[in-house]
Amino acid sequence: MKEGHYLCVLGMFDEETNKLFNQLDGRLQDAQLKTLGFFQDDPWHFSLGVYFDLEPEELKAWVGQVASEYEPITLRFNHLGLFPGVLFVEPAFSWPLRNLYERLHEKYDDLHGDYEETSRRHGLFTPHVSIIFTYEQLPLAVEVMSKHFQPFYGRMSKLLIYEYVIKGDKSFAVRPVATIPLNKTLKNGEHHD
């Protein structure tokens, strides 16, 4: 891995769930708020792990193994939350999501996953889907979402490994490394859909 680069494992959603997040995004755009404008076609995600000093192929093999043990995960997105300068949607607690997170971090958490917000070691993981990053317009974004947000069910169906580069105090997307479906293999060798 090049210096200043890192890898992130993102939990990605199915098409129907992405449409629901796009609708929320549209409400913010209707209010003339500058939305996220993500870098990929399938933008809505959870950040599940951040890894420094780890080769992409090594992480890809591990994530592939973990993904083969899990079915797509149904979640109930039931509330809004705030971090400084961030409005997000958070799901109700889910054992399947928690178990996948714990399993993902079994191998590299202590060596490469020292990013506090996603590292198991720090215990700060909050699964969330960021809707908007803003300080100045956060009160307006909260007002818009409080009028339009209704709890909904969604489905996390795959894991994406993405490479980022750090420049100064900002991170920039470089390239997707791999998209791996959650596709539990049953005992007879078939896949569960």
Side-chain angles (χ1 to χ4, degrees), residues 3 9 23-25 35 50 77 84-85 89-90 102 110 112 117 128 144 182:
E3 188 168 332
V9 178
Q23 289 172 5
L24 293 175
D25 185 69
T35 58
V50 174
F77 292 94
V89 177
E90 185 175 358
E102 292 290 334
D110 292 336
H112 302 284
E117 285 77 10
H128 68 280
V144 169
L182 297 176

Side-chain angles (χ1 to χ4, degrees), residues 2 7 18 27 35 40 47 63 80 93 100 120 123 130 143 147 157 168 175-177 179:
K2 296 178 200 164
L7 300 169
N18 284 328
R27 295 293 189 172
T35 58
Q40 61 214 44
S47 293
V63 171
L80 300 170
F93 180 83
L100 180 136
R120 180 174 63 175
S130 298
E143 181 182 333
K147 290 178 184 173
S157 58
R175 68 182 177 101
V177 173
T179 301

Side-chain angles (χ1 to χ4, degrees), residues 36-117:
L36 291 173
F38 274 106
F39 53 86
Q40 61 214 44
D41 294 333
D42 201 3
W44 307 106
H45 66 271
F46 291 133
S47 293
L48 296 171
V50 174
Y51 302 94
F52 297 87
D53 303 320
L54 184 60
E55 291 301 319
E57 290 305 312
E58 192 174 351
L59 184 59
K60 180 180 171 183
W62 173 244
V63 171
Q65 179 181 333
V66 171
S68 73
E69 299 169 7
Y70 289 86
E71 300 175 359
I73 297 171
T74 298
L75 300 160
R76 185 168 192 267
F77 292 94
N78 65 340
H79 61 280
L80 300 170
L82 296 171
F83 292 137
V86 180
L87 174 62
F88 60 84
V89 177
E90 185 175 358
F93 180 83
S94 162
W95 278 114
L97 178 60
R98 187 65 192 198
N99 289 338
L100 180 136
Y101 168 82
E102 292 290 334
R103 177 74 172 116
L104 182 66
H105 285 268
E106 283 178 9
K107 191 164 186 178
Y108 296 115
D109 196 60
D110 292 336
L111 298 176
H112 302 284
D114 198 28
Y115 189 71
E116 288 184 0
E117 285 77 10

